[in-house]
Amino acid sequence: DLDAERADTITAGVVYEPGWAPGVRASLDFYNIEIEGAVGTLEAQDIVSRCANGATQLCSLIQRDGSGAIETVQATLINLSTLKTRGADFELSYSTSLSNLIGGAPGDLWVRTLATYVDTLITDDGVNAIDRAGDVGPFVDGIPHWRWNATVAYTLGPTTMQLQGRYVGGGAYDHTFDPRFNRGERGIDDNTVSSRFYVDLSLQHTMMLGGGEAQALFAVNNLLDRDP
């Protein structure tokens, strides 16, 4: 049976809208969260590794055959001992009539950047504590240290064109892998994952249709055809 989670959360934020720069808005938010008895799911490899390292409460999730070889691993919801995460969110936006920048130019301009930094993401089962901040492999519950989106939008009457850049930070495939070994369950040839930057483009047009309003949207995601 699962027990209820208990959390201690600290958050702080500040918003700045300078009078000397109309249309500019900046914000910073910080968070520090610690959850006792956090409910979550460990990956199969984490369960096997933590069981072998002394977390005996996880060994019951592993089924073996008569020879002792692992047959299945039950990756179910469990109460982790502790989950800790800390980070910050940053936002900077600017909106104005384009005529304020280019005399007589029609339309409105909107620019926004939103960035997220995750410093720590620690799961602690009482025996082992693993920080997955910076682990970005597909088989771990990790997260990049840095992610950000930047958007530029131009509106002219009923039509809006938007260009968006998306950045996903790189990191380790799984930092618990031992780089000295290239074979076996704990080894990997290259334990690094590079960052990625994607560009999206969209065009939206609003029109009156009958007694209501309709929107037509054209969008191209990953305009530069970057691999994942």
Side-chain angles (χ1 to χ4, degrees):
D1 294 335
L2 295 175
D3 296 324
E5 299 175 329
R6 293 180 301 167
D8 291 325
T9 302
I10 299 174
T11 60
V14 60
V15 177
Y16 179 53
E17 296 182 359
W20 52 267
V24 173
R25 184 179 188 273
S27 66
L28 169 63
D29 295 284
F30 167 82
Y31 62 87
N32 187 84
I33 303 170
E34 181 173 340
I35 303 176
E36 296 291 340
V39 176
T41 303
L42 295 176
E43 296 292 336
Q45 184 58 61
D46 276 339
I47 293 174
V48 173
S49 299
R50 294 187 184 203
C51 169
N53 290 333
T56 56
Q57 71 274 21
L58 299 177
C59 297
S60 62
L61 302 176
I62 304 171
Q63 287 76 48
R64 302 177 182 270
D65 62 19
S67 66
I70 296 174
E71 287 187 323
T72 59
V73 178
Q74 185 180 2
T76 185
L77 289 172
I78 58 174
N79 282 106
L80 304 173
S81 179
T82 306
L83 172 65
K84 299 178 182 179
T85 186
R86 180 176 62 231
D89 296 324
F90 313 86
E91 182 178 359
L92 178 64
S93 63
Y94 175 65
S95 61
T96 185
S97 294
L98 194 57
S99 60
N100 292 331
L101 303 177
I102 305 174
D108 298 312
L109 182 68
W110 178 71
V111 181
R112 179 176 183 251
T113 299
L114 178 64
T116 296
Y117 176 72
V118 179
D119 178 59
T120 57
L121 181 64
I122 300 173
T123 58
D124 187 343
D125 58 17
V127 177
N128 302 291
I130 299 179
D131 188 352
R132 289 299 187 186
D135 279 0
V136 294
F139 304 114
V140 297
D141 292 324
I143 193 170
H145 281 298
W146 279 104
R147 290 177 297 171
W148 58 261
N149 290 336
T151 303
V152 178
Y154 173 66
T155 300
L156 180 61
T159 303
T160 298
M161 183 173 66
Q162 179 172 291
L163 186 67
Q164 176 180 254
R166 295 180 287 123
Y167 173 82
V168 182
Y173 186 92
D174 182 345
H175 82 276
T176 65
F177 283 166
D178 192 329
R180 296 173 299 173
F181 302 100
N182 292 330
R183 297 180 180 178
E185 65 179 22
R186 305 307 296 160
I188 190 169
D189 290 323
D190 184 357
N191 198 22
T192 60
V193 179
S194 62
S195 61
R196 279 295 182 268
F197 178 73
Y198 304 102
V199 176
D200 305 327
L201 178 66
S202 66
L203 182 66
Q204 179 178 294
H205 181 73
T206 302
M207 67 196 88
M208 300 306 297
L209 188 63
E213 187 177 271
Q215 289 183 337
L217 175 66
F218 172 78
V220 180
N221 291 328
N222 194 10
L223 182 66
L224 304 181
D225 196 25
R226 292 297 309 275
D227 289 335

